[in-house]
Amino acid sequence: MTAIITPQLSHLKALEAEAIHIFREVASELERPVLLFSGGKDSIVLLRLAEKAFRPGPIPFPLMHVDTGHNFDEVIEYRDRRAAELGVELIVASVQESIDSGRVREETGPRASRNRLQTITLLDAIGKHSFDAAFGGARRDEERARAKERIFSFRDDFGQWDPRRQRPELWDVYNGRIHRGEHVRVFPLSNWTELDVWEYIRAEELELPSIYFAHEREVFPRDGMLYAVSPYTELLQDEKTFVTSVRYRTVGDMSCTGAVRSHATSLDDVVNEIAATRITERGETRADDRASEAAMEDRKREGYF
């Protein structure tokens, strides 16, 4: 009697299949989705998954970046070029415009950051364009508040998140029913780890902004992190700059995103570094998450990513 051999999905292929299923569920259940695309590694993976979900047709929704105006030049160049290559509409929601219109007040001083200001800009843009779903690249391994998220994370008509009112998601069944004014944040990478993301990037041979690989950069130390010297960050009196080889594990506003010392110049090198580390990327390189034990959860309740 001949044995029947059932092919097994690899770990990455199983994650990919789940994410593609989520994209298609949103497209079938909701009317106006948008993909939050910053040019960072997680949103780059999201973009590839969206491509695969709807081939041979085009991606059926726009991309949107909440732009603080204090971003790394390499990332903005990549963002604009990639959207143009795919022929996908790119909406840029500007924090500077929110400041100019009086919607938010800019912080001042050496530790000032525009990162918190993104929340109002994001909610205003969702309301302006009547988006009812926003795909994001958050993963549960990033931070404790992220771990409380469902894949479909519901937001009320004020854009706020209540972890106690999230819906159950049994057997990969997602409930996209919302009332007018509400929307849902959707996280197809919820079950991925940072290592999964990097291994997928390697497997798919995805291009990344150059700052994800080791390069010489002028930096200064502050609070156990290395920050890039930029026009957007004011040095304290005793802070000294120097040039060293660094790379970035995550990208965001330059005022709160730290680099790590590294000589990893290839995808294989980066994968090996990530496999060996025991510190999460946000714990090591994002100052805004160090403000308090509940910093991320507080921001998420207000409508943050």
Side-chain angles (χ1 to χ4, degrees), residues 3-223:
I4 298 175
I5 300 175
T6 304
Q8 298 293 313
L9 282 178
S10 70
H11 176 63
L12 283 183
K13 285 297 183 182
L15 290 173
E16 179 188 72
E18 178 189 52
I20 287 173
H21 168 66
I22 292 164
F23 271 108
R24 291 172 176 168
E25 282 291 297
V26 171
S28 66
E29 289 191 48
L30 293 134
E31 295 182 2
R32 288 189 56 79
V34 65
L35 192 155
L36 301 177
F37 182 69
S38 65
K41 68 181 187 309
D42 299 300
S43 62
I44 289 169
V45 168
L46 278 185
L47 194 58
R48 171 51 60 89
L49 293 166
E51 285 185 82
K52 289 192 171 187
F54 302 106
R55 283 176 178 170
I59 295 173
F61 38 75
L63 313 180
M64 183 166 73
H65 181 212
V66 180
D67 187 350
T68 67
H70 293 176
N71 296 291
F72 294 90
D73 291 340
E74 300 95 323
V75 179
I76 297 303
E77 184 279 328
Y78 177 92
R79 177 202 72 183
D80 294 344
R81 177 167 50 82
R82 193 71 187 107
E85 288 170 353
L86 291 174
V88 184
E89 179 187 4
L90 173 65
I91 298 166
V92 178
S94 168
V95 171
Q96 183 62 56
E97 290 182 8
S98 297
I99 294 169
D100 294 342
S101 66
R103 290 286 291 148
V104 295
R105 180 180 296 177
E106 183 151 29
E107 299 174 7
T108 59
R111 298 183 185 278
S113 172
R114 289 185 171 184
N115 206 52
R116 287 188 69 97
L117 308 186
Q118 293 178 90
T119 298
I120 295 298
T121 307
L122 171 63
L123 294 177
D124 285 351
I126 287 173
K128 175 182 177 181
H129 297 280
S130 300
F131 293 130
D132 54 10
F135 294 103
R139 307 184 318 271
R140 291 183 178 131
D141 76 322
E142 290 181 82
E143 198 271 342
R144 276 181 276 184
R146 301 280 201 209
K148 296 181 181 180
E149 289 277 19
R150 300 287 195 269
I151 290 174
F152 276 39
S153 178
F154 288 85
R155 308 301 172 107
D156 64 20
D157 49 2
F158 295 102
Q160 296 179 332
W161 173 71
D162 184 348
R164 297 169 299 181
R165 298 184 61 190
Q166 298 302 297
R167 301 173 183 179
E169 294 177 339
L170 305 176
W171 306 292
D172 295 332
V173 175
Y174 306 110
N175 182 352
R177 191 176 304 161
I178 58 173
H179 299 294
R180 182 178 295 277
E182 297 175 338
H183 71 277
V184 59
R185 308 282 173 86
V186 183
F187 302 116
L189 305 184
S190 288
N191 294 324
W192 297 50
T193 65
E194 184 185 8
L195 183 58
D196 292 330
V197 167
W198 278 104
E199 289 184 332
Y200 189 79
I201 288 168
R202 180 172 62 178
E204 293 289 309
E205 300 180 341
L206 299 180
E207 181 191 358
L208 294 172
S210 59
I211 67 171
Y212 278 113
F213 301 98
H215 59 286
E216 296 286 313
R217 188 178 286 269
E218 187 178 12
V219 297
F220 64 94
R222 178 183 291 176
D223 302 331

Side-chain angles (χ1 to χ4, degrees), residues 178-292:
I178 58 173
H179 299 294
R180 182 178 295 277
E182 297 175 338
H183 71 277
V184 59
R185 308 282 173 86
V186 183
F187 302 116
L189 305 184
S190 288
N191 294 324
W192 297 50
T193 65
E194 184 185 8
L195 183 58
D196 292 330
V197 167
W198 278 104
E199 289 184 332
Y200 189 79
I201 288 168
R202 180 172 62 178
E204 293 289 309
E205 300 180 341
L206 299 180
E207 181 191 358
L208 294 172
S210 59
I211 67 171
Y212 278 113
F213 301 98
H215 59 286
E216 296 286 313
R217 188 178 286 269
E218 187 178 12
V219 297
F220 64 94
R222 178 183 291 176
D223 302 331
M225 295 169 57
L226 294 177
Y227 293 93
V229 174
S230 78
Y232 315 121
T233 306
E234 179 183 337
L235 295 179
L236 297 171
Q237 187 173 6
D238 60 343
E239 290 177 333
K240 306 296 182 183
T241 69
F242 60 95
V243 175
T244 190
S245 178
V246 299
R247 70 175 187 85
Y248 287 83
R249 291 177 66 182
T250 182
V251 298
D253 189 291
M254 293 183 75
S255 64
C256 63
T257 303
V260 294
R261 295 179 187 270
S262 175
H263 295 285
T265 57
S266 70
L267 284 173
D268 285 340
D269 293 339
V270 173
V271 167
N272 290 336
E273 273 195 0
I274 298 302
T277 189
R278 293 297 177 265
I279 305 174
T280 66
E281 63 197 276
R282 295 191 73 93
E284 184 174 26
T285 63
R286 292 300 289 269
D288 49 326
D289 289 343
R290 297 182 174 192
S292 73

